[in-house]
Amino acid sequence: MTTIRHLDHADTLHLPVLGDGPFNFRHTVWKPSHYDTGLEAHTTDRSWRTIRIGDLAVGVRLTCEDRTVIADIYTDGDYKPAHRDELRTRLTTSYGLTEDLTAFTALAERVPAMREPLAALGGIRQSCPEDHFEISVVALLLQNTTVSRTTAMTRNLLAHHGLLVHFAGVTLRAWFTPAEIAHVTAECFKEQDRLGYRAKSLPYFAAFFRDHTAEDLLGANLVERFQEIKGVGPYTAAVMASHASRDPSVFGIDVWNRKIFARSLLGAPDADAEVITQRMNELFPGHAGTAALYLVEHDYLARPVAPLLHPAGISSWNQALEATTA
DNA sequence: AGCCAGGTAATCC
DNA sequence: GGATTACATGGC
């Protein structure tokens, strides 16, 4: 039985958005293509998200005024000045608040297929509040399966090994750390959490990120480096590099987004991954990952995987999450 | 029943 | 090397 941790308000951060281009808060923080993890909740004008900083569980409530993101911070532990600094950096980086989109936009304006995505989503940035370990788990759970099963596996893992927190009126799950699942066996991931053959990979993921910090990986060719982990291939490594490392030139290609790119760039229902990758790099040199982001999110804008919540629906959201316990 | 999902590693020639 | 094939599992 998972107990709910109640987090108290500890801080308020004002995070400026730099650069002159547009900033789209709603679609930067909430992505129409992202599946429901239980780690975040979104209404039309605000978002809630959990973050782990080592042992500390943090709840963040995000709103935006003009070009400032306001982050209300909630914790249940000993909140120190160092945590404030780390959260400021983490949130600014996670949502690309200081990233310059002008080079991408200049390339995209010359491509007809980008006209509508730019008009609808101009000013969105990659969102990745996950760290490298956490996003690697997400990508692992997306491997060769349906999104509904990915959602179920995520729910199982977080219910059995993660945290359950309540803050600012919302109940959410929070990630486990590599250390917290170091003792869990592959058999448990398979039988209890229903991960199938992916169960064997997760212990390798946890061991790698227990032993390597983000600083260790600076300067490395990340897409190659991450593939040293058993269970990480070209797709998962690219998701890690494009999302957690925020390399704008990289995107992970799979059977799902391949069709989106083939349709919008080649006018075909599907195409070889090599053909698409070459075309993307040709049209958006150095920014193919950003282009991929705009094309995919625009494709999902009218029918989001996990739609925005109505404010009145938050209490039933909370009840549903609290009912799914270990 | 069989095929396919927002892939990867092992094995084959 | 590049081309198969097995791998878990649930939904249609």
Side-chain angles (χ1 to χ4, degrees), chain A residues 7-196:
Chain A
L7 311 182
D8 297 318
H9 190 262
D11 203 354
T12 300
L13 304 177
H14 292 257
L15 309 170
V17 178
L18 301 188
D20 341 299
F23 174 60
N24 184 329
F25 171 72
R26 184 28 59 232
H27 296 100
T28 291
V29 176
W30 167 71
K31 290 295 192 289
S33 82
H34 288 194
Y35 74 91
D36 183 12
T37 59
L39 296 160
E40 51 192 52
H42 309 273
T43 62
T44 52
D45 64 345
R46 64 191 53 197
S47 292
W48 295 258
R49 169 75 209 195
T50 59
I51 287 180
R52 292 298 302 272
I53 302 184
D55 294 334
L56 195 70
V58 180
V60 184
R61 192 193 65 169
L62 298 164
T63 55
C64 186
E65 286 179 15
D66 300 319
R67 293 178 71 85
T68 301
V69 172
I70 300 160
D72 279 291
I73 308 297
Y74 298 75
T75 71
D76 66 343
D78 187 10
Y79 186 72
K80 299 193 170 90
H83 292 134
R84 157 177 268 237
D85 296 338
E86 184 160 350
L87 276 169
R88 178 179 288 282
T89 302
R90 175 83 173 262
L91 292 168
T92 298
T93 305
S94 295
Y95 299 112
L97 302 185
T98 60
E99 288 172 357
D100 186 356
L101 290 166
T102 54
F104 161 71
T105 307
L107 291 168
E109 280 171 346
R110 306 186 321 204
V111 179
M114 292 298 297
R115 185 176 307 279
E116 286 188 28
L118 274 182
L121 296 172
I124 71 164
R125 293 107 205 277
Q126 185 72 268
S127 62
C128 188
E130 278 73 26
D131 66 17
H132 283 85
F133 168 63
E134 294 160 354
I135 200 67
S136 75
V137 176
V138 170
L140 174 70
L141 300 184
L142 287 165
Q143 289 176 8
N144 196 44
T145 193
T146 54
V147 168
S148 75
R149 214 176 139 226
T150 300
T151 306
M153 290 188 279
T154 304
R155 187 173 355 122
N156 292 343
L157 276 181
L158 292 174
H160 297 147
H161 311 290
L163 306 177
L164 188 62
V165 302
H166 185 88
F167 68 97
V170 168
T171 303
L172 290 175
R173 302 218 172 270
W175 280 108
F176 40 82
T177 65
E180 285 166 355
I181 59 159
H183 66 286
V184 182
T185 62
E187 289 70 33
C188 179
F189 290 136
K190 184 168 180 288
E191 302 304 325
Q192 179 189 234
D193 304 319
R194 313 303 300 155
L195 297 201

Side-chain angles (χ1 to χ4, degrees), chain A residues 201 204-205 208-209 212 216-217 220-234 236-237 240:
Chain A
S201 302
Y204 293 115
F205 285 35
F208 183 88
F209 287 105
H212 296 82
D216 276 353
L217 301 166
N221 180 337
L222 294 172
V223 177
E224 281 182 15
R225 194 66 207 287
F226 291 141
Q227 291 184 65
E228 293 170 10
I229 308 166
K230 201 153 160 177
V232 175
T236 303
M240 293 161 77

Side-chain angles (χ1 to χ4, degrees), chain A residues 27 30-35 297 299-308:
Chain A
H27 296 100
W30 167 71
K31 290 295 192 289
S33 82
H34 288 194
Y35 74 91
E297 297 310 328
D299 197 68
Y300 271 84
L301 194 50
R303 43 187 178 87
V305 177
L308 293 173

